[in-house]
């Protein structure tokens, strides 16, 4: 007879009640950001990839702030409050009401952000619904961590915390990562047996290992070699080091795809960067949110680009700021932006648009070939194809209360230092003379000049200084 084994449901518990004293910050530790995302959010996103039945987050310090600082859409997310914090075993005891007997419990820490879903899947497989599985790693410097004690046979006997360990035990290099997978049925009675008779006077979750051994439940260590995946954050230095390590790894992945980075040590991706073929990125660029760079896009040095789609062949010259936020920014094929340009939310630029130095564009559409090359503002506007928008010209879109729209037809020439007082429409093919203040719509094809006429005063004398 064939027995069909169905995998047990997964319940994740993320411990995040600790104070994070060494961060010396008002912000709860798990809300500090790595690659632009709160540490706890990394752990939640990885958990989501495992398709758990439930996720329990144990909070304590800054519980309300932690809850409002993160987002989770998949599976059911529950918070339990641990007050006071009496250790990792005590934290797990608080989660028990949300852990059904038929599940596998995966224990994670909110301050260990870079564990990969595949690694956790391997740990769950090692647990197999019947065993206690511990994620372990050998470290050159294991100090501070719980050490894995093994019998001569290699069988795991227990975990001894650094502060409770003898000199000989402290020489053990294999450490417990803080991550385990265990059937809920087995875990619950062990949690009930914990005590706090140890060097720190805490209820140690790690004591469940010795209960497993004495109950004859098999304990498996699931060793990995990638230290980044189990690295925890305790201090600003560790946060910065892990950020660098993460960025370097990402830079190597991008280069493996063919992206040419001037210097992999000077790139920061705080979101998702998707690149086509032959993309070049110069030094000190920061990418936030989702940014797409089409084939052959070149990004100059010192650009900060958020939530944007930049089409094939576009060039973003040095010191450009693109901030798409919720509305996004789109840069068309072959466009040339910068240096020193600023594209704000809702900017849509068609192919071959040029935006030059000290030009700001917000919530505006520029059709193919339109150019604003120097010192200008275009906000809440629709600009036609091939428009030339002169230096120093602005759309006066705000009357102090409401925003108004400006429409500029195709092939218009706006001279320098013009003020287009919205709402206003400039007819296609028209020209606006430099220095004009335009308050009424103009007809297509005409020249409009709205400024004081030049006068000559022949006999005028300059004032003289009195002697
Ligand atoms: C723990 C392990 C240790 C392991 C190390 C890996 C225990 C007893 N020891 O030690 O074997 O090598 O992690 O990093 O588990 N937390 C709570 N409530 C508490 C205490 C802690 O939620 O009362 C949370 C913390 O916020 C943190 C996690 O549990 O996210 C780990 O706590 P921490 O104090 O860092 O444990 P370690 O002493 O590092
Ligand atoms: Mg720790």
């Amino acid at each position: 007879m064939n027995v069909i084994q169905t995998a047990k449901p997964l319940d994740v518990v993320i411990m995040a009640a600790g104070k994070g004293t060494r961060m010396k910050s008002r912000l709860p530790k798990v809300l500090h950001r790595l690659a632009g995302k709160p540490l706890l959010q990394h752990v939640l996103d990885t958990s989501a990839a495992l398709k758990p039945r439930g996720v329990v987050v144990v909070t304590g310090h800054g519980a309300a702030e932690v809850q409002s600082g993160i987002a989770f859409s998949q599976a059911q997310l529950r918070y339990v409050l641990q007050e006071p914090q009496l250790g990792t075993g005590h934290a797990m005891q608080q989660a028990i009401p949300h852990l059904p007997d038929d599940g596998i419990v995966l224990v994670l820490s909110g301050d260990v952000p870079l564990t990969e879903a595949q690694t956790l899947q391997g740990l769950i497989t090692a647990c197999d619904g019947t065993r206690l599985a511990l994620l372990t790693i050998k470290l050159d410097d294991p100090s501070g961590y719980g050490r894995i004690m093994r019998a001569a046979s290699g069988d795991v006997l227990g975990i001894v915390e650094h502060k409770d360990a003898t000199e000989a035990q402290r020489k053990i290099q294999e450490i417990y990562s803080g991550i385990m997978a265990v059937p809920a049925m087995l875990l619950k009675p062990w949690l009930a047996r914990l005590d706090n008779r140890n060097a720190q006077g805490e209820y140690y979750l790690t004591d469940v290992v010795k209960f497993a051994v004495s109950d004859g439940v098999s304990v498996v260590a699931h060793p990995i070699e990638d230290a980044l995946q189990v690295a925890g954050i305790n201090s600003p230095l560790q946060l910065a080091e892990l950020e660098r390590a993460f960025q370097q790894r990402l830079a190597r992945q991008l280069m493996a795809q063919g992206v040419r980075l001037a210097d992999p040590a000077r790139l920061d991706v705080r979101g998702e960067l998707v690149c086509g073929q032959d993309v070049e990125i110069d030094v000190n660029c920061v990418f936030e949110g989702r940014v797409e760079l089409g084939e052959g896009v070149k990004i100059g040095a010192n650009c900060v680009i958020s939530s944007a789609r930049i089409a094939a062949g576009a060039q973003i010259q040095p010191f450009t700021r693109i901030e798409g936020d919720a509305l996004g920014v789109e840069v068309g094929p072959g466009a040339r932006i910068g240096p020193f340009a600023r594209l704000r939310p809702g900017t849509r630029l068609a192919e071959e648009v040029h935006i030059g130095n000290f030009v700001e564009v917000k919530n505006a559409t520029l059709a193919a070939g339109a150019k604003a090359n120097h010192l200008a503002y275009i906000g809440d506007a629709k600009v036609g194809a091939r428009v030339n928008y002169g230096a120093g010209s602005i759309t006066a879109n705000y009357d102090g209360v409401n925003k108004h729209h400006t429409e500029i037809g195709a092939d218009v020439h706006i001279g320098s230092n013009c003020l287009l007082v919205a709402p206003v429409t400039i007819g296609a093919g028209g020209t606006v003379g430099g220095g004009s203040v335009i308050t009424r719509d103009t007809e297509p094809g005409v020249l409009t000049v709205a400024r004081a006429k030049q006068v000559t005063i022949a006999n005028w004398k300059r004032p003289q200084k009195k002697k």
Side-chain angles (χ1 to χ4, degrees), residues 284-338:
N284 295 334
C285 291
V286 179
F287 297 91
E288 299 166 327
R290 183 181 163 89
V291 176
E292 286 175 41
L293 306 180
E295 190 174 331
V297 164
K298 287 190 171 66
I299 309 287
N302 301 300
C303 291
V304 181
I305 301 180
S306 317
S307 307
R309 282 219 316 254
I310 298 176
Q315 286 188 39
I316 311 295
Q317 298 185 350
F319 297 97
T320 291
R321 170 70 169 126
I322 298 179
E323 41 189 322
D325 294 343
L327 292 177
V329 164
E330 279 171 30
V331 175
R336 207 180 66 208
I337 313 298

Side-chain angles (χ1 to χ4, degrees), residues 29 62 93 154 159 165 185 192 208 257 283 407 428-429 456:
K29 177 163 80 173
Q93 286 169 351
I159 298 174
M185 282 274 257
V208 302
Q257 290 163 27
V283 298
E407 186 101 12
T456 303

Side-chain angles (χ1 to χ4, degrees), residues 162-231:
H162 180 91
K163 285 185 179 148
D164 299 282
T166 62
E167 275 310 309
Q169 288 168 330
R170 286 184 182 181
K171 293 208 169 72
I172 299 171
Q173 285 183 300
E174 188 184 9
I175 63 105
Y176 170 55
S177 64
I179 297 171
M180 67 168 68
V182 54
M185 282 274 257
L186 296 173
L187 178 65
K188 289 181 184 182
W190 294 336
L191 289 176
R193 281 158 70 183
L194 294 177
D195 63 56
N196 64 353
R197 290 191 298 271
N198 52 53
Q200 302 185 81
E202 285 183 4
Y203 294 87
Y204 289 166
L205 173 60
T206 43
D207 282 347
V208 302
V209 180
K210 68 183 183 213
F211 299 147
V213 172
S214 65
D215 287 358
V217 173
S218 93
V219 180
V220 285
H222 183 69
I224 60 166
E225 291 186 350
D226 179 8
L228 271 196
Q229 291 197 42
V230 296

Side-chain angles (χ1 to χ4, degrees), residues 18-34 39 110-111 232-242:
K19 192 169 183 177
T21 312
R22 282 175 284 164
M23 288 303 291
K24 298 187 178 157
S25 169
R26 266 189 232 284
L27 193 67
K29 177 163 80 173
V30 293
L31 290 186
H32 281 269
R33 284 169 188 268
L34 182 112
L39 298 176
D111 60 353
I233 306 290
N234 295 301
S235 66
L237 176 65
Q238 284 174 337
L239 181 59
E241 284 173 346
L242 201 58

Side-chain angles (χ1 to χ4, degrees), residues 3 16 20 51 63 99 107 211 217 226 248 264 268 275 281 322 331 371 407 410 423 442-443:
V3 179
K51 308 256 184 300
L99 302 176
V107 180
F211 299 147
V217 173
D226 179 8
Q248 295 236 356
D268 284 89
C275 295
I281 302 174
I322 298 179
V331 175
K371 294 183 176 60
E407 186 101 12
T442 69
E443 294 299 315

Side-chain angles (χ1 to χ4, degrees), residues 11 30 204 362 450 457:
D11 294 298
V30 293
Y204 289 166
K362 185 216 77 169
I457 301 169

